[in-house]
Amino acid sequence: MRTVRWGILGLGSIANKFASDLLLVPNTELIAVASSDYRRAEAFSEKYSSKRFYDSYQSLFDDSDVEIIYIASLHPKHAELSIAALKHRKAVLCEKPLAMNEQEVKAMISASHSTNVFLMEGLWTRFNPSFQQAQDWIKEGKLGRLRYINATFSFNGLDRGPDSRLFHPDKGGGTLLDIGIYPLFLAYQLLGKPKNIQASAHLTAHGVDQQLAILLTYENAHAVLYSSFAHNEVMSATIAGEEGEIYMDSRWHETPKLSLVKGEEMVSEAFDFIGKGYSYEIEEASQCIREGKKESAKWSLDSSLELMQLMDSIRQLCGIHYPSDRNEKK
Ligand SMILES: NC(=O)c1ccc[n+]([C@@H]2O[C@H](COP(=O)([O-])OP(=O)(O)OC[C@H]3O[C@@H](n4cnc5c(N)ncnc54)[C@H](OP(=O)(O)O)[C@@H]3O)[C@@H](O)[C@H]2O)c1
């Protein structure tokens, strides 16, 4: 198996977790990292044994040894930086959310198609073995017809303050795009597009959602979803069908344990993740590159687009707007 040569752009919190997992994935190599800050790039490069570091993103785009760039900047920069990378013929694994809105996602997909270069959203839960097992049980018919999904994602981030990326509109603040995307992903992946969406949010003074409740209605099912930056909670999830249920232990999006319940019987399965769990999306993207694929069959660009369209609809229902929206429909 040939070695895939990675670059990382935007060296903040998630880039550190990703890089430590990249070191655990065989047949991958960290070639270069880039940050707006020279010292951050230098320290990151040393810590994760990158061959080179840059204090300009352009230098990373110009590095001919790099095949794929992991974009780990704030959400409002995802579209611009991914498109720039694609135009330099670099494959892209971009952090979730893929962008700020439908128009940006469409522009990214269009750039991937016109350059014929790989693009994937880093929706890491999709690739984790525990999620895969849950999905396999459902596909095998163990739950019968799905009726109900309940998933939440909350933590108390109030102490980060209004200028943090969690709360500032210019930084893509708000729960939906950051953490509400996970419960929404679960419902979308298992039930598809809903017939009806209801949503209610508590907005901050700057107009982003600090707490959000979503009710999705399907032909024969409901998904009850919730996200908050205002409190902690046990983050388990329930997937219920007419013939059984799956209970995903907290935190369900990286769950260490699944239980399949059918009447009086219960089967539990525990999972030991490789690293923090980002290794699985790294393996998927690397294998796609080796095989010359332009997108992942497991989490396609159409899926990313439809997930973003759902988020746009929820934002519209709740009156959540971002500066990036001003660029829409030019
Ligand atoms: N998959 C997951 O589990 C997960 C978890 C957390 C976050 N994320 C996603 O990863 C992305 C980054 O999150 P994070 O927590 O890592 O963010 P972060 O540490 O606050 O910032 C990441 C990088 O973004 C750039 N940046 C920060 N503030 C900026 C500003 N004001 N203007 C321009 N650039 C700025 C910096 O890049 P430079 O180093 O170049 O200066 C920084 O290193 C988000 O889109 C988030 O949704 C994913």
Side-chain angles (χ1 to χ4, degrees), residues 186-202:
L186 188 69
Y188 169 76
Q189 182 67 15
L190 300 180
L191 292 170
K193 288 203 275 187
K195 280 166 59 119
N196 182 261
I197 303 172
Q198 290 163 274
S200 163
H202 287 308

Side-chain angles (χ1 to χ4, degrees), residues 9-15 17 34-37 40 57 70-75 77-78 95-97 122 124 160 165 171 177-178 182 253 278 281:
L9 182 159
L11 307 181
S13 166
I14 192 62
K17 294 179 184 163
S35 168
S36 63
D37 183 281
R40 188 153 57 242
Y57 300 157
Y70 167 62
I71 308 256
S73 53
L74 306 187
H75 342 323
K77 287 282 180 191
H78 286 179
E95 256 308 335
K96 42 57 60 177
W124 63 303
R160 307 243 194 127
R165 79 162 186 86
K171 296 177 182 170
L177 293 178
D178 195 38
Y182 289 102
H253 74 297
Y278 300 101
E281 65 175 2

Side-chain angles (χ1 to χ4, degrees), residues 2-169:
R2 81 165 179 82
T3 296
V4 174
R5 304 183 305 273
W6 284 79
I8 301 180
L9 182 159
L11 307 181
S13 166
I14 192 62
N16 274 275
K17 294 179 184 163
F18 182 92
S20 69
D21 274 10
L22 184 62
L23 289 173
L24 303 175
V25 180
N27 304 307
T28 65
E29 188 177 11
L30 182 55
I31 298 287
V33 298
S35 168
S36 63
D37 183 281
Y38 180 89
R39 283 181 199 285
R40 188 153 57 242
E42 185 181 36
F44 193 100
S45 173
E46 208 165 291
K47 188 168 178 189
Y48 300 106
S49 310
S50 172
K51 285 197 162 167
R52 296 188 272 285
F53 64 91
Y54 303 114
D55 62 358
S56 103
Y57 300 157
Q58 187 59 48
S59 303
L60 182 61
F61 299 148
D62 290 336
D63 187 327
S64 57
D65 289 339
V66 172
E67 288 179 277
I68 175 164
I69 297 178
Y70 167 62
I71 308 256
S73 53
L74 306 187
H75 342 323
K77 287 282 180 191
H78 286 179
E80 177 193 325
L81 293 168
S82 296
I83 291 169
L86 290 166
K87 285 185 174 163
H88 286 79
R89 309 211 56 75
K90 303 299 183 206
V92 169
L93 170 61
C94 179
E95 256 308 335
K96 42 57 60 177
L98 191 55
M100 291 299 291
N101 54 45
E102 177 185 1
Q103 272 64 35
E104 287 189 355
V105 171
K106 282 185 169 167
M108 294 166 85
I109 294 174
S110 164
S112 168
H113 288 167
S114 63
T115 55
N116 203 25
V117 177
F118 176 85
L119 170 65
M120 185 177 107
E121 179 180 17
L123 226 162
W124 63 303
T125 300
R126 171 64 188 92
F127 308 101
N128 289 348
S130 48
F131 174 80
Q132 190 63 50
Q133 178 62 79
Q135 187 166 274
D136 288 349
W137 280 337
I138 292 163
K139 281 195 174 150
E140 288 160 18
K142 296 221 168 7
L143 303 194
R145 182 158 63 164
L146 288 191
R147 286 291 192 161
Y148 168 70
I149 289 176
N150 174 223
T152 63
F153 198 135
S154 306
F155 65 89
N156 191 335
L158 294 173
D159 59 349
R160 307 243 194 127
D163 287 335
S164 70
R165 79 162 186 86
L166 298 188
F167 292 107
H168 202 293

